[in-house]
Each structure stands twice: as C-alpha cells, then as structure tokens.
Amino acid sequence: MNGGGGGGGGFSNFYETWLNQLHHLVRQLTAAPRPPTTPDHHCDLDELVGKVMSHYAEYYRVKSVAAERDPLAMFATPWASALERSLHWIADWRPTTVFHLVYSESSILFESHIIDILRGLRTGDLGDLSSSQFRRVSELQCDTVREENAIMEEFSEWQDSASELVNARADVNEKIGRLVTTLRKADDLRLRTVRSVVELLTPQQAVEFLIAAAELQFGVRSWGVDHDRHRGSQ
C-alpha cells in the first residue's frame, strides 16, 4: 500500500482506503478453514495473519509520517466519528483494550463449548487457551499497563505545560515535537501489544482474535457514523 498521508485531509483519505482493505482481509480470515485440517491450511492461516499484521504496521507507518507533518490533526482525528473520538486514548484505541477482548472472546467460546471441554475434547479456539497462554497474556497485560501509565504521565505533563504555549514562553516547535514523540510511543505500544498477543496464540486463535478486533472496530465506527449522520440531519 502506498501513501504518505499528508496532514489530516490526506490521512483521512488514506484511512478510508485502509479500512476498506481491512474489510477485505477480514473476509479472507473468515473464509479460512478453522480449525486447520492440513499442513497447507496451517500455512494459509499463518500467511493471512501475516498480511493483517503488515496491514496494521502500514497504518502506523503512514500515521507517523502524517503526525510529523500535522501533529495536531492526528489528535483532532477528523476521520473518526464523535463516538470513536470519545473512546480514544492519546489519539487512538487504548492498548489494554486488547486484553479485555481476549478475555471476553475466550469466555464466550469457553461457555459455548463447555460440554465438549468437560469431556476432554479440545476445540483449539480462543475458548481453549492453555494455562501457559493465560499466564503469558496476564504478564503481557501487566507490562502494557505499566507502559500505558508511563506514556500517560508524559502526555499529562505536556498538557500541564500548555499555558506556556499560550503565553509564548516556550519554543512551540519543541513543544509540538514532544507531542509527536508521545503519540509515536503510544502507537508503538498499540502495535507491539497486538503483535505480542498474536505471537502467543496458535494460528487458529490468532485468526479468531484478529476477526474479533476488526469487528469491534467496524462496529464502533458504524455506530458512530450513523449517530453523526442522524445528529447532522436534525
């Protein structure tokens, strides 16, 4: 995928294209055989997961370039609905949301397969996470919370110094540069968190997790856009 996302308007166009391509990738994930029954199926799932992760990496690459050109637009997020913006943490989704999603999907699938599980049958899906996987998810969650707190503290310090911008007591470029650095740290944590979770899952579980994550994103966006449209027509 190409594109530099020059400023808010350019990134808005990029985001619409990127989101449409994510829809296409999710359709491929949904159509993939689960559980995989042959070595080829395992390879297919691995390849699809790799494509989706590359797609997310491209999003953050272009966003980083756009932030360098117009950092304030990245925080205003004109491409997002009001509902999406209300859920943002430093201009995008909160990294620890990933863990809530894993636990939620695991619980739902576990309950739906509980009879099979009690009989000793393995489903291989997100409802069948091993004790080792749960431990690693918990450890990763703790690490992510610590990083979130550190980034949020840095962001809060930047906000507390905003009066210096108004009173012209500071170098504006230096202040905005610090804001870009904080955004990049937050985006890096978002991408690393998804990658880390995917790496500790089996290919089948990774596919299910990525589908759930994308469907949550699609759902929130759809509700938000519908709300904005309804509000605008009044």
Side-chain angles (χ1 to χ4, degrees):
M1 185 193 310
N2 296 320
F11 189 81
S12 294
N13 294 333
F14 162 80
Y15 183 73
E16 287 299 325
T17 300
W18 181 89
L19 198 64
N20 287 335
Q21 291 175 333
L22 182 61
H23 275 282
H24 177 68
L25 287 170
V26 170
R27 285 194 291 270
Q28 292 183 48
L29 291 176
T30 304
R34 300 193 311 274
T37 56
T38 69
D40 285 344
H41 287 164
H42 278 280
C43 291
D44 289 343
L45 292 185
D46 280 332
E47 183 178 349
L48 285 173
V49 169
K51 284 182 179 180
V52 176
M53 293 310 303
S54 294
H55 194 56
Y56 281 120
E58 178 72 351
Y59 168 77
Y60 289 111
R61 184 193 70 78
V62 174
K63 186 179 177 185
S64 178
V65 173
E68 189 69 34
R69 296 174 179 173
D70 192 353
L72 298 184
M74 295 299 103
F75 280 86
T77 59
W79 55 88
S81 65
L83 174 60
E84 289 171 296
R85 285 192 289 273
S86 74
L87 299 172
H88 278 174
W89 175 85
I90 308 186
D92 219 315
W93 55 274
R94 195 179 190 99
T96 45
T97 303
V98 166
F99 303 102
H100 299 304
L101 184 62
V102 171
Y103 293 136
S104 175
E105 289 297 309
S106 178
S107 177
I108 291 171
L109 288 171
F110 177 83
E111 291 177 4
S112 68
H113 299 319
I114 191 167
I115 300 301
D116 290 336
I117 292 172
L118 291 175
R119 290 174 178 169
L121 300 176
R122 304 300 301 271
T123 59
D125 57 20
L126 279 174
D128 195 19
L129 292 174
S130 67
S131 58
S132 174
Q133 285 177 310
F134 270 118
R135 185 180 67 253
R136 291 167 65 193
V137 169
S138 179
E139 291 170 351
L140 180 59
Q141 182 178 15
C142 291
D143 291 341
T144 304
V145 168
R146 281 193 290 270
E147 288 198 61
E148 266 191 6
N149 290 340
I151 294 170
M152 194 62 212
E153 183 176 346
E154 186 176 307
F155 184 57
S156 295
E157 290 175 357
W158 189 93
Q159 290 179 311
D160 290 342
S161 67
S163 61
E164 297 177 11
L165 293 173
V166 177
N167 296 324
R169 294 202 304 264
D171 183 339
V172 173
N173 290 332
E174 186 273 334
K175 288 285 185 182
I176 296 300
R178 283 175 51 199
L179 186 63
V180 172
T181 298
T182 301
L183 175 58
R184 284 177 171 163
K185 288 180 180 179
D187 283 345
D188 175 67
L189 181 58
R190 282 184 263 265
L191 183 58
R192 280 192 291 111
T193 301
V194 175
R195 279 178 170 160
S196 297
V197 168
V198 165
E199 287 172 359
L200 63 83
L201 300 175
T202 67
Q204 177 186 350
Q205 292 166 344
V207 166
E208 292 167 350
F209 163 72
L210 290 172
I211 290 173
E215 288 180 343
L216 176 61
Q217 182 177 0
F218 298 154
V220 170
R221 182 164 183 79
S222 178
W223 297 330
V225 169
D226 286 346
H227 178 269
D228 288 354
R229 186 180 298 116
H230 177 70
R231 185 179 59 182
S233 65
Q234 292 180 332

